[in-house]
Amino acid sequence: MNDLVNFRQEGRFYLAYFVPFRKLLTLNREGRDIVDCFFNKNFSQKDIVEFFNKSRKYKGNVASSDVRSFLIDVKEELHSNLNDGYVLPSNFVPSVPVSVELQINTRCNLRCKHCFQDSYSTTMHLKRIEEILKILKEANVFELNLVGGEVFLHPEFFKILELCVQKNFAINIVTNGTFLNNTNIEKLKNCKNIAVLVSLEGIGEINDMIRGDGIFSTVDKGIKTLIANGIYVEISNTLTAKNVDYTGQIFKYAEGLGIACNFNLFKPFKDTHDELVLLPEKYFQTGINIARNRETKSGLTNAAIMSKLLKDENRDECRATLLGLSIDVEGKMVPCVSLKEAGYYEGKVLPVFDENFLDVWKNDVSFREFRKIGFKECQARAYIFNKDVCGLDPYGIKSFEKYLKKSS
């Protein structure tokens, strides 16, 4: 079996997590079995029809055209241009997080202009990481995002990665790309189910203005070496006032390499960040420009705006606590990392991750409050710009719809 798709039953339906695509679909029992046969067991469409018609679970004949039509629908969802890869029923809350972000350190070799960290010296102990990974695996979490700081600066990073691979997580490695040398990439080649998400703020001097002299050249070489070695890679770009006018350059760069570029909106957390704040109109127009090329793999990480632009079904922007969980370098469970960095949780006690994390994730007051407010827009931006998590998000879908109306 290929284990390309992992499954978990949630009440009347199944969650199907497609590891190579980092996408999640909800299926009924029949859909679950078709996907399992086709992707994991390598059945042909004819084999699938025979399986269904011989199975005692299913009564009546299954037509080959029905199987073919279903698989075409699945393919279209997997190759959708929307960056939000979770296609789920409205207001659905799973029994277990789909994805967990684990901050293994805060150490970093760069001091990027838009960085929100105050400390660059903390490292989570390997034993603590082992405990966390064991609990997450037993709970059947599908996806794990390893973040820093810069993760390659954790002294036991590859031991951590080996543990993740052994537990069959889909692993996303978030990195600034400066440690993607031949030695490290050779080690990554031996790891299955990994994706490398590389931060890049532009091409050449645009990137280096934000991240440091000579960084683009190093990262460019690393990205191309990853691709040459068959390792999945994506670019993560943070849109600021300093680089937004050069979006087309990095867009073409990613397109030329055949990889995706995920455009994230910068959030100001410090006084020094004021000069980086992007006007909402600029952000909205950037999204419109990106969406005009429907064939590209790139897009805004704002699923609400992208679904509007691509005329798809309406989606919420945020999926943080609804489907995921963040564990910071101190081992605490965080409803929203951006709200934490904005100071919203100051004076509040964030729970420590342990074997009872599911009960806490569902019932802790901070998590319940976060869910109650909703995910249509970004609560962190509402808090940063209006000091009210329930306030207007100037970059959210409501403001975007007003912009479209005004521009028409």
Side-chain angles (χ1 to χ4, degrees):
M1 291 179 63
N2 296 321
D3 291 328
L4 297 178
V5 188
N6 295 325
F7 300 98
R8 192 168 77 215
Q9 187 167 3
E10 292 278 356
R12 296 179 290 105
F13 55 87
Y14 292 85
L15 299 183
Y17 183 88
F18 292 76
V19 177
F21 296 91
R22 300 304 196 265
K23 292 207 172 189
L24 186 78
L25 302 182
T26 53
L27 305 172
N28 59 18
R29 184 179 65 176
E30 292 84 354
R32 186 259 183 221
D33 285 347
I34 292 174
V35 165
D36 187 42
C37 287
F38 186 79
F39 287 91
N40 289 342
K41 297 176 181 176
N42 204 29
F43 281 18
S44 67
Q45 292 182 32
K46 181 180 178 181
D47 293 336
I48 294 171
V49 172
E50 291 180 358
F51 166 79
F52 269 75
N53 289 332
K54 290 179 180 179
S55 173
R56 293 181 180 180
K57 288 193 297 183
Y58 302 103
K59 297 179 181 179
N61 293 326
V62 174
S64 179
S65 59
D66 293 335
V67 173
R68 174 178 170 78
S69 177
F70 173 77
L71 289 173
I72 288 173
D73 288 343
V74 169
K75 180 180 178 181
E76 289 178 352
E77 286 288 358
L78 295 180
H79 291 279
S80 168
N81 285 334
L82 286 173
N83 282 51
D84 179 72
Y86 297 171
V87 181
L88 296 167
S90 179
N91 300 320
F92 168 71
V93 179
S95 60
V96 178
V98 170
S99 176
V100 169
E101 179 180 280
L102 177 60
Q103 185 182 34
I104 62 174
N105 67 344
T106 63
R107 294 176 61 191
C108 191
N109 58 314
L110 303 183
R111 297 296 183 267
C112 303
K113 292 185 183 301
H114 60 276
C115 183
F116 55 76
Q117 285 187 189
D118 292 319
S119 169
Y120 296 90
S121 60
T122 310
T123 300
M124 185 180 285
H125 195 278
L126 179 62
K127 184 176 180 181
R128 177 64 170 136
I129 294 172
E130 286 182 288
E131 294 170 351
I132 291 172
L133 295 179
K134 180 176 182 294
I135 294 169
L136 294 178
K137 181 59 180 177
E138 290 174 350
N140 201 12
V141 168
F142 292 139
E143 179 181 291
L144 190 66
N145 300 294
L146 297 177
V147 304
E150 168 50 49
V151 292
F152 281 92
L153 282 175
H154 193 292
E156 300 186 274
F157 171 71
F158 282 101
K159 287 185 180 179
I160 296 167
L161 191 57
E162 182 181 357
L163 289 171
C164 296
V165 170
Q166 289 173 355
K167 297 184 185 305
N168 202 36
F169 290 114
I171 309 154
N172 297 322
I173 301 169
V174 182
T175 174
N176 63 32
T178 58
F179 292 93
L180 296 174
N181 53 47
N182 291 335
T183 300
N184 286 338
I185 290 176
E186 194 64 32
K187 293 177 182 178
L188 292 176
K189 281 173 59 177
N190 298 320
C191 301
K192 68 174 184 176
N193 296 344
I194 68 166
V196 183
L197 313 184
V198 182
S199 298
L200 199 62
E201 310 313 334
I203 305 304
E205 63 182 15
I206 303 303
N207 177 80
D208 292 357
M209 171 184 63
I210 296 170
R211 291 192 168 266
D213 291 342
I215 299 302
F216 174 78
S217 177
T218 299
V219 176
D220 173 56
K221 181 179 178 180
I223 289 173
K224 291 174 179 175
T225 306
L226 286 170
I227 295 170
N229 282 276
I231 299 171
Y232 184 86
V233 57
E234 290 184 0
I235 296 170
S236 179
N237 177 275
T238 301
L239 292 170
T240 71
K242 296 292 185 182
N243 67 355
V244 67
D245 290 330
Y246 305 93
T247 304
Q249 294 180 6
I250 195 165
F251 190 88
K252 290 180 181 178
Y253 172 82
E255 195 172 30
L257 294 174
I259 61 178
C261 182
N262 301 312
F263 292 94
N264 310 288
L265 176 61
F266 168 73
K267 303 183 190 79
F269 297 106
K270 304 175 181 178
D271 292 339
T272 55
H273 286 165
D274 289 349
E275 66 176 5
L276 302 175
V277 176
L278 181 64
L279 291 174
E281 293 79 9
K282 275 275 194 179
Y283 174 62
F284 297 149
Q285 191 57 51
T286 299
I288 292 170
N289 294 341
I290 290 171
R292 282 175 179 158
N293 187 350
R294 296 178 63 91
E295 300 303 316
T296 184
K297 299 177 182 179
S298 301
L300 297 180
T301 55
N302 187 323
I305 290 178
M306 285 302 291
S307 64
K308 178 82 173 179
L309 288 169
L310 298 179
K311 298 179 180 174
D312 197 38
E313 63 183 89
N314 293 335
R315 300 193 184 184
D316 292 343
E317 173 183 347
C318 175
R319 68 188 189 194
T321 303
L322 185 65
L323 298 171
L325 167 67
S326 293
I327 305 170
D328 70 13
V329 72
E330 297 176 347
K332 294 181 179 178
M333 298 169 60
V334 183
C336 171
V337 173
S338 292
L339 276 176
K340 179 188 175 187
E341 296 303 329
Y344 180 72
Y345 296 116
E346 286 183 12
K348 300 179 182 181
V349 178
L350 292 175
V352 174
F353 181 91
D354 60 21
E355 63 275 5
N356 299 313
F357 85 97
L358 286 178
D359 180 61
V360 175
W361 182 67
K362 295 172 187 174
N363 300 311
D364 178 80
V365 61
S366 293
F367 285 82
R368 284 192 287 110
E369 176 195 44
F370 195 66
R371 290 192 183 96
K372 184 178 179 180
I373 295 170
F375 305 95
K376 193 172 185 66
E377 299 188 335
C378 177
Q379 295 179 35
R381 290 197 302 263
Y383 179 73
I384 290 169
F385 291 101
N386 293 299
K387 295 304 175 185
D388 180 3
V389 290
C390 297
L392 177 68
D393 172 7
Y395 301 86
I397 186 64
K398 292 179 183 178
S399 296
F400 178 62
E401 288 172 342
K402 289 181 180 179
Y403 173 78
L404 290 178
K405 188 174 181 180
K406 182 179 178 182
S407 302
S408 62

